Amino acid sequence: MSFVTGVGLTSYGKHEGLSSLDLMSKAAELAISDAGLKRSDIDGILCGYSTVSPHIMLATVFAEHFGIRPAYAHAVQVGGATGLAMTMLAHHLVDAGVAKHVLVVGGENRLTGQSRDASIQALAQVGHPDYEVTLGPTIPAYYGLVATRYMHEYGLTQEDLAEFAVLMRKHALTHPGAQFHEPITVADVMASKPVAMPLKLLDCCPVSDGGAACVISREPTGERQVRVRGCAQAHTHQHVTAAPALSELGAEISIAKAKEVSGIAIPDVRYAAVYDSFTITLAMLLEDLGLAGRGESAARVRAGYFNQDGEMPLNTHGGLLSYGHCGVGGAMAHLVETHLQMTGRAENRQVRDASVALLHGDGGVLSSHVSMFLERVR
């Protein structure tokens, strides 16, 4: 058993002059304070990677920078799924008695600390070195290929995909820490610059500076009690040329295992936090997870199903598409927002009921998946 006892999040966007370690420190301090703990209480540290500040021992580099001496330290790398993968590992660590309070942290100054070309080069390395990288694609190109196939098989249109960008922007407008605060329409998305067709600029998440953190504890540290009810992973492939059929990707595997270990079914869920690096990512994952039927996710967006006041509120902070994406910390913002919603602290974004939440992270090109259920105990 484990509890999410504290969360911390910086604003996303430009943070001139702050390093990855600085941004991670800001988020970590917020999370520890939120848990009602001191730095000295932290006996475990899980740290995500940084493309701006790569290091073979980033977890202990951060621990030294932050001023803690953990009994357990580990760095984790599974792309965009890293934040939830670290949270899952922290859950197992405290449940096994290895640590009492594990700090999970990610952050990067990816916007101001890395050139555009360096960022593209770093992200391009997810491709197979012989069969993919040599042809020059980037991550948007891989997702563009997946989008084309998925649209062909299930009837989604470019306008359908645009609905997800509009929804995430609408939610971001209510969060002061979001990178974007200008409303957009489907027409705006359709008119935005082509990146990797059918994906256009507003179908893609931005590059951001920011940091996010949480504390996973063996026991509650205060009145607010949010428990990790169950979680699971799936890793079907690394490279898109080795991917299985679109109906056999890892999200379906991980959600089935998470439902089994948690005893929670999709109709029990009241709030959803789902990875949204691109509009096609969100559309596919919602359908893979059972939050919409095949080809029906966009219709649910139009019907208001995923609105803040809808039947299944989704990414109420604005997601990666509009709150921002700073690497590992990008998806961790989903976890922070979920905790705020579950503890009634989301202010003007507060939903009616967030007693049971489903979180899902995706790394690579729909390669690595982590599904997690959280439950509010009181």
Side-chain angles (χ1 to χ4, degrees):
M1 182 180 295
S2 75
F3 294 83
V4 185
T5 52
V7 293
L9 181 67
T10 71
S11 61
Y12 283 13
K14 279 190 176 182
H15 286 277
E16 296 282 359
L18 294 184
S19 68
S20 294
L21 294 176
D22 293 333
L23 291 162
M24 291 162 64
S25 296
K26 280 179 170 289
E29 183 60 39
L30 290 169
I32 293 170
S33 175
D34 192 47
L37 300 172
K38 305 183 299 293
R39 295 190 190 199
S40 57
D41 294 320
I42 300 298
D43 55 355
I45 171 73
L46 294 175
C47 175
Y49 62 90
S50 167
T51 61
V52 180
S53 307
H55 197 285
I56 61 173
M57 297 178 67
L58 189 58
T60 47
V61 167
F62 172 75
E64 181 180 86
H65 177 84
F66 192 59
I68 58 175
R69 293 185 176 182
Y72 184 98
H74 198 69
V76 178
Q77 292 183 239
V78 279
T82 300
L84 285 186
M86 292 193 295
T87 306
M88 180 176 175
L89 177 55
H91 162 67
H92 289 314
L93 287 170
V94 301
D95 187 50
V98 175
K100 189 175 181 181
H101 301 290
V102 178
L103 174 65
V104 177
V105 61
E108 280 194 65
N109 58 330
R110 192 175 282 191
L111 178 59
T112 60
Q114 192 172 51
S115 70
R116 177 179 176 274
D117 289 346
S119 182
I120 291 172
Q121 185 175 12
L123 295 176
Q125 299 312 305
V126 301
H128 192 286
D130 296 324
Y131 306 132
E132 297 173 3
V133 173
T134 53
L135 299 175
T138 61
I139 286 183
Y142 295 125
Y143 274 92
L145 291 172
V146 171
T148 298
R149 184 66 194 181
Y150 200 82
M151 292 163 68
H152 171 74
E153 290 195 15
Y154 298 108
L156 289 174
T157 66
Q158 291 186 42
E159 288 82 2
D160 287 336
L161 295 183
E163 294 283 0
F164 296 95
V166 173
L167 176 65
M168 291 301 96
R169 184 61 60 88
K170 180 171 69 173
H171 286 174
L173 297 179
T174 65
H175 198 306
Q179 186 163 348
F180 296 127
H181 288 111
E182 305 81 23
I184 57 174
T185 65
V186 168
D188 292 329
V189 180
M190 295 298 293
S192 62
K193 180 181 178 182
V195 173
M197 294 303 286
L199 303 178
K200 295 161 290 298
L201 184 63
L202 293 178
D203 286 299
C204 309
C205 64
V207 176
S208 317
D209 297 337
C214 68
V215 177
I216 307 299
S217 304
R218 198 179 311 167
E219 302 290 343
T221 59
E223 291 299 314
R224 304 186 305 265
Q225 296 187 15
V226 174
R227 182 172 67 177
V228 178
R229 179 70 179 264
C231 40
Q233 297 186 24
H235 309 273
T236 54
H237 63 283
Q238 172 59 37
H239 304 110
V240 70
T241 48
L246 293 179
S247 60
E248 301 169 7
L249 292 174
E252 291 190 83
I253 301 170
S254 65
I255 190 62
K257 290 161 61 177
K259 287 191 291 186
E260 182 179 354
V261 299
S262 68
I264 292 178
I266 295 301
D268 301 325
V269 175
R270 296 293 178 264
Y271 180 86
V274 180
Y275 196 80
D276 59 316
S277 51
F278 301 93
T279 52
I280 185 60
T281 318
L282 188 53
M284 290 179 65
L285 290 178
L286 289 172
E287 296 174 10
D288 288 347
L289 296 170
L291 294 170
R294 289 291 179 193
E296 297 174 1
S297 54
R300 287 204 155 183
V301 174
R302 291 191 187 94
Y305 186 82
F306 298 113
N307 286 353
Q308 178 184 328
D309 60 353
E311 189 171 337
M312 184 67 68
L314 170 71
N315 300 350
T316 49
H317 64 305
L320 300 170
L321 285 166
S322 279
Y323 191 88
H325 193 0
C326 61
V328 172
M332 286 189 67
H334 290 65
L335 174 61
V336 173
E337 177 71 4
T338 301
H339 192 267
L340 294 177
Q341 290 286 1
M342 298 186 79
T343 55
R345 298 183 295 155
E347 300 178 343
N348 60 326
R349 305 182 310 283
Q350 188 64 50
V351 303
R352 288 190 304 271
D353 177 14
S355 54
V356 177
L358 165 61
L359 300 93
H360 187 87
D362 153 44
V365 187
L366 298 163
S367 311
S368 292
H369 296 265
V370 182
S371 299
M372 179 177 295
F373 290 105
L374 299 182
E375 175 187 48
R376 185 177 64 228
V377 180
R378 69 177 190 186

